Amino acid sequence: MSRRIVVAPDSFKGTVDAADAAAALARGWRGVHPDDDLVLRPMADGGEGTLDAFAASVPGAERIPLQVAPPAPGAPAVGTSWLRLPDGTAVVELAATCGLGLVNPLQPLDAHTSGFGEAIGAALEAGATRLLLGLGGSASTDGGAGALAVLGARFLDDDGRPVLLGSRGLSSVASADLSGLRALPPGGVLILGDVTNPLLGPSGAAAVFGPQKGADPATVEVLEANLARLAGAVAAALPQGEDLAEAPGSGAAGGTGFGLLAWGASMGAGARLVAESVGLADAIAGADLVITGEGRFDGQSEAGKAPTEVAAIARAAGVPVALVAGSITADASGFAASASLTDLAGSGAAAMADPARWLEAAGASLAAAGA
């Protein structure tokens, strides 16, 4: 008898998007069990691929193209888009405006989020009544100052002059003026975040995420100090000196979560909201197996990442879950089966060189093993 298999991976960052990953896993499974019913539900958690997930799942969603500022000195301007949903909501993805893949070589001290602010502003100008802002995959650690500056905030040095974009500019921040920030849309602003890290400290934006943005240990210390200066300036500009640096998720996307919270946005669980939008629970109900995955399953995966959310929905429905990841460095014993592309390909480099091939092999391996 044929079985119904739901395939709901996140993107494998830097190598293959969620839709292509799901298609490759399905091809591999069909090669072993051609009569099974494969239901594809590409996932995202607020990072790369969030816009695609909404576009694929919301009837009538419309991509609105635009060009935004380069995300770092010497980088080209970015051709991107935001997504208009039929109810007036706009979805804007940080990774598509100033993400890691848009800065080469990486510039941890000078990359910034002004392009993200431009995309947000464009959506507001077009009449968006609500904003869903996907955070994740950023190239910068500017605390969202670049985006806020585009939206009307001012970050000034001791002489009252605007500071430079990027973390380097934050080293001279003496004060913040948030009075000119654009008003929130009527339906508010919801952050689709994939982490719960605070802005500062050993679990903060610089310490945890700085290295993946090109920061060595000495540079991480500089990033941390600059974020602390920004936090102090923003706290002084907020009513009652509100300190948002410890708020869960304030460290998301190089501290962009912190900047958006200062604007008045609310923090949401990105993977959960995307799962709701793609009707994942309905797809899983009555399924025989769910396959999920991401590029790296590690200690951060339990903190709101897409595979964890998919697994929670599947387990609540009594459906077993299989995991596929480029590499698996955390305990995956909670899954019915797992497959590592690195193990299948023989090395991480080989897996990244042809991810679609090894995703297909993973799908076939799970099917053959009777997952």
Side-chain angles (χ1 to χ4, degrees), residues 216-270:
D216 59 23
T219 304
V220 166
E221 291 186 9
V222 174
L223 296 174
E224 176 79 5
N226 293 346
L227 286 175
R229 286 184 66 93
L230 174 67
V234 169
L238 290 171
Q240 290 83 45
E242 186 179 2
D243 183 7
L244 298 171
E246 292 300 317
S250 59
T256 304
F258 168 81
L260 294 174
L261 289 172
W263 183 29
S266 300
M267 187 67 66

Side-chain angles (χ1 to χ4, degrees), residues 140-220:
S140 59
T141 310
D142 74 346
L148 291 189
V150 171
L151 295 171
R154 300 176 72 218
F155 300 97
L156 309 173
D157 63 17
D158 284 322
D159 296 320
R161 297 173 301 193
V163 302
L164 297 173
L165 290 170
S167 177
R168 195 185 304 274
L170 298 182
S171 65
S172 60
V173 165
S175 64
D177 179 0
L178 308 181
S179 62
L181 274 170
R182 295 190 64 144
L184 301 179
V189 178
L190 185 62
I191 301 166
L192 307 182
D194 62 355
V195 300
T196 56
N197 303 66
L199 181 68
L200 303 172
S203 299
V208 175
F209 306 115
Q212 72 184 27
K213 306 175 198 299
D216 59 23
T219 304
V220 166

